[in-house]
Amino acid sequence: MAETNLQILLRRRPQGAPVPEDFEIVETPVPEPQPGEVLVRAQYLSLDPYMRGRMSDAKSYSAPVALGAVMAGQTAGTVIASKAPGFAPGDTVLGGSGWQRFSCVQPGSLFKIAPDDAPLSASLGVLGMPGLTAWVGLEDIGRPKSGETMVVSAASGAVGQVVGQIGRIRGCKVIGIAGGEAKCRFVTEVLGFDACIDHRGDVAAELDRLCPEGIDVYWENVGGAVQRAVFPRLRDFARMVMCGMIAEYNDTTPAPGPNLMSAVRKRLRIQGFIVSDTGWPRYPQFRQEMLGWMQAGRMTWREDVVEGLRNAPTAFIGLLKGENFGKLVVKID
Amino acid sequence: MAETNLQILLRRRPQGAPVPEDFEIVETPVPEPQPGEVLVRAQYLSLDPYMRGRMSDAKSYSAPVALGAVMAGQTAGTVIASKAPGFAPGDTVLGGSGWQRFSCVQPGSLFKIAPDDAPLSASLGVLGMPGLTAWVGLEDIGRPKSGETMVVSAASGAVGQVVGQIGRIRGCKVIGIAGGEAKCRFVTEVLGFDACIDHRGDVAAELDRLCPEGIDVYWENVGGAVQRAVFPRLRDFARMVMCGMIAEYNDTTPAPGPNLMSAVRKRLRIQGFIVSDTGWPRYPQFRQEMLGWMQAGRMTWREDVVEGLRNAPTAFIGLLKGENFGKLVVKID
């Protein structure tokens, strides 16, 4: 039986929250690799909040996905055929192949990984872009020091779970913020954070109780009401690592933010970053440190695995509503 | 004729804008230095926006001036008598003697300066705390690079005039923002900024015209409407040096600030600092570099000299309204 490719295209730009009709699922022939290319069969696709930005044509740090083009995304898979030096059928690779089963890619955009280091899907999460995001943001901006207090929003998510565990390894008191009792229990009991606040409750009061001396490092994944509760509780010299504001991604009009006078008064550092700016050249160093933590039992993670590429649009729509529990990946086939 | 001391005390904490009745002017005996102390006669008192914060008992980076105490402030003056090693009558010194003619101080809080390097009052401005503030904020946060675009608010003020001139020395295109035509003309014609925008006009439109590719470094002295015009025009990787927000110092309720999603998208760095945190140990290095620029004709400055310590409260009230033109100092006697 001849295999076919399955692709998910961006049909139109969402207005507010994406809906299934913004996507189009098509079957196409499996492409032939040209000289210098590698044919990859993806086994896992990573779904991440940043993809909402790529669906929009608002000015941003990377070009939008064109209408009618395959949605962009990281995959983990296997080389099927290679017309490029250094890659052979059977190699396990990470790359940005997008929301599709087969793709022909330039080898410069692929990382060859040892398949036995960790489960393959982990290379899209704790060992992949989200883990690297956590590591880079803390290295460059958060700079947690032993004895400090760290607050992590979206604490059970792909990035948040790694951020908080690194915070614990660095000797911080780490408070997570997550949606619902089950996620909060996971954050404390499995990830080992010191405490976790349900964002559906009174976040400000809980922060006052858990961080009576204030917050030294705030990892911002969500924005909105959580940001409004955290910001006034930052301590002198606090760092606010601006990784994302998922609660506002579907907003068509941005809400006002905090008055910045406290940035002077408290000498705050509020800084955004995008992992792709400086992260990938440091991937080998990151992967080595992360594998060390995993093998030492100091780093755990949770995945939310969706079966079947056809379910990617619905899963992504749910991700923006916080319906996933752990790093969201799609198992292809 | 026996001399007397003249002191200006904080009588009560201002509600909103300070008024003359918030201060009290008293004559007292000249104090006697105790062993280990130095008696200083101040010739110039620096008036600076940060003093508004010291009048308030809101939580801030330094303790408020106590009610009934002498207002805090930097002075330049002469040693009259010394019971401390290393200081002798006639020495020229900088120190934080406050709003008074005579004071007995610990030598640890005094800098002895060579009186002939520059006019004495310059050591309260371009060579003093405001100049050091400009230098430290650009070294640590702004990091201007040749070819970048810098915008400086309160450009004709004590800090702003130094910031912009350093920006020019570093090879930036420098746009000032100041209040009124006379100040704007001074900023371009005397200080040598590339352009200056009157904040009473359409700041946003002028920024679009003068910085069509956006802003790499924004030196924030004022907040308010100027901040609202600048913030959306920051470029990717812009640095926003949070030095002050004088337009909001008298506000009793802080206005909302910018939505911070662009901090992620553009990888902004928004960071506050207070010169006293790390500045003074670097004062000799700063003073040497600044004197070099002054002697090379690359650094100029303007002072607004008020005669007589009794006029300090009125001058300070005017400073918060932007009524001064250049670095505001009081000539004592």
Side-chain angles (χ1 to χ4, degrees), chain A residues 265-302:
Chain A
R265 201 158 37 83
K266 298 183 183 175
R267 295 81 117 192
L268 304 181
R269 178 173 178 176
I270 303 164
Q271 188 169 350
F273 77 109
I274 306 288
V275 66
S276 54
D277 287 333
T278 65
W280 292 111
R282 296 143 84 187
Y283 182 76
Q285 183 194 350
F286 153 75
R287 188 174 174 102
Q288 185 180 17
E289 184 159 32
M290 184 61 71
L291 278 169
W293 288 331
M294 288 162 68
Q295 284 152 10
R298 305 186 74 183
M299 181 66 61
T300 186
W301 67 96
R302 177 176 174 132

Side-chain angles (χ1 to χ4, degrees), chain A residues 61 248 255 257 259 267 270 277, chain B residues 61 248 255 257 259 267 270 277:
Chain A
Y61 54 89
E248 306 185 29
N259 183 286
R267 295 81 117 192
I270 303 164
D277 287 333
Chain B
Y61 54 87
E248 306 186 27
N259 184 286
R267 295 81 118 193
I270 304 164
D277 287 334

Side-chain angles (χ1 to χ4, degrees), chain A residues 8 25 47 99 306-317 330:
Chain A
I8 300 182
I25 302 173
L47 293 180
W99 298 25
V306 170
E307 298 278 340
L309 184 56
R310 289 176 188 274
N311 294 318
T314 316
F316 178 69
I317 291 166
V330 175

Side-chain angles (χ1 to χ4, degrees), chain A residues 255-260, chain B residues 224 227-228 245 248 253-259:
Chain A
N259 183 286
L260 293 178
Chain B
Q227 184 184 92
R228 287 190 289 276
M245 285 172 43
E248 306 186 27
T253 318
N259 184 286

Side-chain angles (χ1 to χ4, degrees), chain A residues 55-79:
Chain A
M55 301 177 77
S56 159
D57 58 3
K59 191 171 176 327
S60 188
Y61 54 89
S62 61
V65 175
L67 291 181
V70 176
M71 274 293 298
Q74 287 272 316
T75 55
T78 307
V79 172

Side-chain angles (χ1 to χ4, degrees), chain A residues 7-309:
Chain A
Q7 301 181 305
I8 300 182
L9 314 179
L10 179 63
R11 178 192 279 163
R12 62 181 192 195
R13 306 211 178 277
Q15 302 298 313
V19 295
E21 295 71 31
D22 296 329
F23 302 90
E24 182 170 8
I25 302 173
V26 296
E27 290 192 28
T28 56
V30 175
E32 273 290 322
Q34 302 302 304
E37 287 187 340
V38 177
L39 175 63
V40 176
R41 180 188 183 114
Q43 288 160 265
Y44 288 95
L45 165 68
S46 179
L47 293 180
D48 301 284
Y50 78 85
M51 293 167 169
R52 177 64 184 84
R54 306 292 298 275
M55 301 177 77
S56 159
D57 58 3
K59 191 171 176 327
S60 188
Y61 54 89
S62 61
V65 175
L67 291 181
V70 176
M71 274 293 298
Q74 287 272 316
T75 55
T78 307
V79 172
I80 302 295
S82 173
K83 293 184 176 170
F87 289 87
D91 283 351
T92 302
V93 289
L94 296 184
S97 303
W99 298 25
Q100 57 186 338
R101 191 184 287 147
F102 292 99
S103 58
C104 286
V105 294
Q106 305 285 331
S109 66
L110 290 177
F111 276 99
K112 197 149 58 169
I113 58 172
D116 299 332
D117 279 348
L120 182 59
S121 57
S123 284
L124 297 177
V126 62
L127 278 173
M129 186 275 286
L132 182 63
T133 299
W135 187 84
V136 164
L138 291 179
E139 286 280 311
D140 292 354
I141 304 170
R143 298 181 185 172
K145 292 189 283 287
S146 183
E148 289 191 326
T149 296
M150 175 189 285
V151 170
V152 185
S153 60
S156 67
V159 174
Q161 54 184 315
V162 181
V163 169
Q165 289 181 90
I166 296 177
R168 292 282 300 150
I169 289 168
R170 300 289 185 225
C172 293
K173 177 166 91 172
V174 179
I175 313 296
I177 302 177
E181 198 188 324
K183 288 181 180 175
C184 285
R185 206 162 45 231
F186 165 74
V187 166
T188 51
E189 292 177 7
V190 179
L191 299 179
F193 289 25
D194 296 277
C196 190
I197 299 171
D198 186 344
H199 70 67
R200 298 159 191 174
D202 185 342
V203 177
E206 285 295 283
L207 288 171
D208 282 340
R209 186 175 69 81
L210 293 163
C211 319
E213 294 178 5
I215 298 158
D216 298 293
V217 179
Y218 174 51
W219 187 281
E220 176 60 291
N221 278 323
V222 305
V226 169
Q227 185 184 92
R228 288 190 288 277
V230 170
F231 192 83
R233 291 170 175 80
L234 295 175
R235 294 182 75 175
D236 286 0
F237 303 102
R239 288 80 69 198
M240 182 163 166
V241 187
M242 301 298 298
C243 180
M245 284 171 44
I246 193 170
E248 306 185 29
Y249 286 2
N250 290 333
D251 290 0
T252 45
T253 319
N259 183 286
L260 293 178
M261 184 55 213
S262 61
V264 182
R265 201 158 37 83
K266 298 183 183 175
R267 295 81 117 192
L268 304 181
R269 178 173 178 176
I270 303 164
Q271 188 169 350
F273 77 109
I274 306 288
V275 66
S276 54
D277 287 333
T278 65
W280 292 111
R282 296 143 84 187
Y283 182 76
Q285 183 194 350
F286 153 75
R287 188 174 174 102
Q288 185 180 17
E289 184 159 32
M290 184 61 71
L291 278 169
W293 288 331
M294 288 162 68
Q295 284 152 10
R298 305 186 74 183
M299 181 66 61
T300 186
W301 67 96
R302 177 176 174 132
E303 289 171 353
D304 189 332
V305 182
V306 170
E307 298 278 340
L309 184 56

